[in-house]
Amino acid sequence: MFKQLSRYWMCQLGGWGLNAAITVFFYLTLSIRKVEHFYLIILISVVLGLLSTHLMRIVIKHYKFLEKPIRNQIISFILITIVFSIIYACADVGAEKLFGLRGYVDPSISLLNELIRSIINSFFILFIWNLIYYTYHYVERNRKQQVDTLKLQSLVKELELKTIKSHINPHFIFNALNSIRALVDENPQRARNAITELSNILRSSMHAEKLETVPLVRELNIVKDYLALEKMRFEERLTIELDIDENTLEQPVPPMMLQTLVENAIKHGISKKINGGKIKVISDFVNDHHELVVQNSGQLSTLISEDGFGVKSTQNRLNLLYQGKATFDIKNLDADTVESRIIMPKNIL
């Protein structure tokens, strides 16, 4: 039975049970007069306490007080404690009067004064309850942010290692070097440029900065180098088109995310087609969001690798970085085109 109770209800029952136990202890050890129906009064107080604090929790969650700025949280903390102290005190005094349990109250004390005293007492109890509740969620939220940060760092590291592995893959280097060797006599200048492009890619992979985001222009430079090398290999079979809004060049993007999508598009899309195909990279502002789009010839069933690393890592990184405010979608745009689309919040520069 207890295993089925949530942590919240276990704390609720334990807290109010402890409150009742302390009250009974002081009554049995320090009280100089007997109170009729004392245990019934305590039971009513505990039940009303459970109901009022649970209702208070519902209100806190419904109006998302815990997601507001800290100043608003403090204001809501005080106001909701006052409001529910009044509700709790009125219900407690009303229940005792309804069931005729107020014989222990000094007749010289008016009902209004007793109500005020009950409000003050309940305020301290609910203040402690709220303090524990708010503090718990504040600590829990910070802990979750730290866990998310660690997950992001781990994911970035994993992505870097995967990218490094793909870039220093013998087949990749073999193909690039073969293409460069063929150009040494035929086009020495292009061969020198190709060596520089290969060096840029390897350097970027090996020495990627440990940053959550980089300017889009930096990411595009690596993508251009990668596509230039692939163009040597595929020649006329690969058509490249870049449609980049210059206003988006300084927008922050997760490092190597665009390159991962382009690399997957080449590896699992273009290379699977005998006649090759086209790859198009688009960056633009749409509806006050930054959109990154990669379109390539092929079909979705042949685009995703067996472990789906590129797709999975992209979605995970977006979720961790933007807390659900960014989306990633990959789909067949038509019978011969796959589109990968990332939508991120626009950064006001």
Side-chain angles (χ1 to χ4, degrees), residues 143-155:
R143 186 193 66 81
K144 185 178 182 300
Q145 289 176 350
Q146 291 175 354
V147 170
D148 286 346
T149 300
L150 292 174
K151 284 183 179 179
L152 179 60
Q153 292 173 349
S154 175
L155 189 62

Side-chain angles (χ1 to χ4, degrees), residues 88-262:
Y88 175 76
C90 289
D92 191 33
V93 173
E96 291 177 4
K97 186 173 179 61
L98 178 64
F99 294 107
L101 305 176
R102 299 187 54 79
Y104 67 93
V105 179
D106 189 340
S108 64
I109 300 177
S110 67
L111 183 61
L112 179 60
N113 289 336
E114 177 61 23
L115 183 60
I116 293 174
R117 187 170 67 178
S118 182
I119 290 174
I120 294 173
N121 291 336
S122 60
F123 175 83
F124 284 110
I125 295 175
L126 296 189
F127 181 87
I128 294 173
W129 190 97
N130 259 331
L131 184 62
I132 295 173
Y133 187 78
Y134 272 71
T135 302
Y136 169 80
H137 282 280
Y138 178 79
V139 172
E140 187 67 15
R141 185 166 61 251
N142 284 345
R143 186 193 66 81
K144 185 178 182 300
Q145 289 176 350
Q146 291 175 354
V147 170
D148 286 346
T149 300
L150 292 174
K151 284 183 179 179
L152 179 60
Q153 292 173 349
S154 175
L155 189 62
V156 170
K157 185 64 178 178
E158 182 182 3
L159 181 63
E160 289 174 355
L161 293 175
K162 286 275 187 176
T163 306
I164 291 171
K165 183 178 178 180
S166 67
H167 283 157
I168 63 176
N169 184 291
H171 294 291
F172 171 79
I173 296 178
F174 178 78
N175 290 334
L177 291 177
N178 265 349
S179 299
I180 293 171
R181 183 178 62 181
L183 290 172
V184 168
D185 295 326
E186 179 182 336
N187 191 340
Q189 182 60 43
R190 181 67 190 95
R192 285 193 291 270
N193 292 340
I195 293 173
T196 300
E197 291 160 354
L198 178 60
S199 175
N200 289 339
I201 293 174
L202 294 176
R203 186 182 299 110
S204 174
S205 298
M206 299 298 293
H207 302 288
E209 296 181 13
K210 305 302 185 291
L211 298 175
E212 291 185 353
T213 60
V214 296
L216 174 64
V217 63
R218 184 188 301 184
E219 183 78 356
L220 275 175
N221 288 336
I222 302 303
V223 169
K224 289 177 182 178
D225 287 338
Y226 176 79
L227 289 174
L229 286 174
E230 294 291 20
K231 179 67 175 177
M232 283 196 314
R233 181 159 67 100
F234 288 98
E235 297 181 340
E236 291 79 12
R237 292 177 57 214
L238 175 61
T239 302
I240 302 169
E241 182 178 346
L242 300 178
D243 183 6
I244 309 298
D245 184 342
E246 291 187 358
N247 294 322
T248 66
L249 290 178
E250 295 303 320
Q251 286 293 304
V253 297
M256 292 181 283
M257 179 172 288
L258 179 60
Q259 185 186 347
T260 299
L261 295 181
V262 171

Side-chain angles (χ1 to χ4, degrees), residues 22 42 67 169 177 196 338:
I22 292 173
I42 293 298
E67 298 178 14
N169 184 291
L177 291 177
T196 300
V338 175

